[in-house]
Amino acid sequence: MSLLELKGIKKTYLLGNPVFGKRKSVEAIKSISLTMEEGVCLGLVGESGSGKSTLGKIILGLEKPDQGEVWFQGKSLYCLKAKELKELRRNLQVVFQDCYSSVNPRLTIGEIIAEPLRNYERLTSVQEKKKVQELLEIVGLCPEDIRKYPYQFSGGQLQRINIARAIALKPKLIILDEAVSALDVLVQVQILNLLAQLKEEFQLSYLFISHDLQAVNYIADRLAVMYNGEVVEWLDDLEQLERLKHPVSKKLLSSVLPPYPGIL
């Protein structure tokens, strides 16, 4: 059984105000079917507007497709009752691009990371504190940071905090939506190394959404290239990037910079 399976996903948006004239129909996702196995990092790469983030939102249940089905752990995501969906969601987490808007500035770091634990686990205050401090250490931060607030951290540190929150329940799948694209290159390296380490340590599965083929190449096991709402090319061996044939794949490949510092 596949961890994630998409069957004929389609999504169309209507743009414009109907009061002022005819609305424009835009196909964000034309027709996508794919499967993803447990323990795999699938890189989903494409230019801005290709539909990759929309697809991520559909998988998360934040957007509902016009047609098609999303199967996660053998269950149809859009046919579940609220209680069943909540239980399934503990195994489906996300890290977004904007690390600043992903956290509540009024909450301490401890409260931010503890949010999923409070939703799903029945921990005492002592147990919760210990767990949060362990998570902070896992992502390379200090246990004492539990009392601090988001404004006291850099972008890279905040993204580590978002990752700590995402792994708190040991989910089966984490969707990383442009999770490193807003960071400086050296910080990107650190976060990518952390993600690779956590994937190995906790047997995590990632859907790594990005426009940066270099970052995808570093962390992903398989590659799907999106263009104009469709998956136009697949690659099972990322050591053979030169075999990419689609024009948009070649365009993304030509934009790849020299390797990250420390990554060969």
Side-chain angles (χ1 to χ4, degrees):
M1 179 180 69
S2 298
L3 175 65
L4 176 69
E5 186 174 3
L6 308 184
K7 298 180 179 179
I9 298 295
K10 295 184 180 182
K11 181 66 179 179
T12 299
Y13 293 103
L14 293 175
L15 304 180
N17 192 325
V19 176
F20 299 104
K22 187 176 179 180
R23 302 181 72 180
K24 182 181 179 182
S25 177
V26 176
E27 287 185 291
I29 305 292
K30 291 183 177 179
S31 182
I32 290 182
S33 297
L34 60 84
T35 58
M36 182 176 170
E37 305 303 321
E38 195 167 340
V40 168
C41 176
L42 172 61
L44 187 62
V45 66
E47 299 175 316
S48 297
S50 62
K52 56 189 187 298
S53 289
T54 298
L55 189 63
K57 290 176 182 177
I58 288 173
I59 295 169
L60 288 166
L62 301 177
E63 293 272 5
K64 191 171 182 179
D66 300 323
Q67 294 182 39
E69 294 179 286
V70 177
W71 289 75
F72 181 64
Q73 293 186 298
K75 296 181 180 180
S76 180
L77 196 64
Y78 294 97
C79 296
L80 297 176
K81 295 179 180 179
K83 186 177 180 180
E84 295 175 310
L85 184 59
K86 180 182 177 182
E87 186 59 32
L88 196 69
R89 283 187 184 278
R90 71 175 295 152
N91 283 318
L92 184 59
Q93 298 295 318
V94 62
V95 178
F96 290 110
Q97 175 181 358
D98 191 341
C99 55
Y100 296 98
S101 64
S102 297
V103 297
N104 188 332
R106 295 182 177 86
L107 299 182
T108 65
I109 298 308
E111 292 171 320
I112 290 167
I113 296 176
E115 183 181 0
L117 297 172
R118 293 175 180 177
N119 289 335
Y120 289 95
E121 305 285 351
R122 294 183 177 180
L123 302 178
T124 66
S125 58
V126 174
Q127 290 172 327
E128 180 185 287
K129 180 179 179 181
K130 182 180 178 182
K131 180 65 176 177
V132 171
Q133 288 179 323
E134 289 174 352
L135 288 164
L136 282 167
E137 288 188 293
I138 286 171
V139 298
L141 296 174
C142 299
E144 294 76 18
D145 290 335
I146 193 171
R147 299 183 183 88
K148 295 180 180 179
Y149 287 84
Y151 75 89
Q152 296 175 275
F153 294 87
S154 67
Q157 289 172 324
L158 273 182
Q159 202 63 304
R160 288 175 183 267
I161 290 163
N162 287 319
I163 292 169
R165 179 175 56 187
I167 66 171
L169 297 172
K170 296 183 179 179
K172 295 295 183 181
L173 175 63
I174 299 178
I175 295 180
L176 301 156
D177 190 358
E178 299 282 8
V180 301
S181 63
L183 305 174
D184 293 338
V185 173
L186 289 176
V187 180
Q188 286 185 24
V189 175
Q190 295 168 1
I191 298 299
L192 287 171
N193 282 331
L194 172 63
L195 290 170
Q197 175 189 333
L198 294 175
K199 178 177 178 290
E200 184 71 23
E201 184 175 348
F202 297 106
Q203 289 79 55
L204 297 172
S205 305
Y206 295 147
L207 177 62
F208 190 87
I209 300 171
S210 180
H211 65 276
D212 185 348
L213 188 55
Q214 182 173 314
V216 172
N217 183 38
Y218 177 64
I219 196 170
D221 302 301
R222 300 178 64 204
L223 174 68
V225 181
M226 280 193 69
Y227 175 68
N228 199 23
E230 298 178 290
V231 174
V232 295
E233 193 160 17
W234 283 91
L235 192 64
D236 290 324
D237 184 0
L238 272 76
E239 291 185 0
Q240 300 180 349
L241 282 176
E242 70 280 358
R243 293 192 176 185
L244 291 171
K245 297 179 180 179
H246 194 275
V248 72
S249 303
K250 291 184 175 180
K251 183 179 179 181
L252 290 168
L253 190 59
S254 67
S255 66
V256 171
L257 299 173
Y260 287 125
I263 298 178
L264 300 174

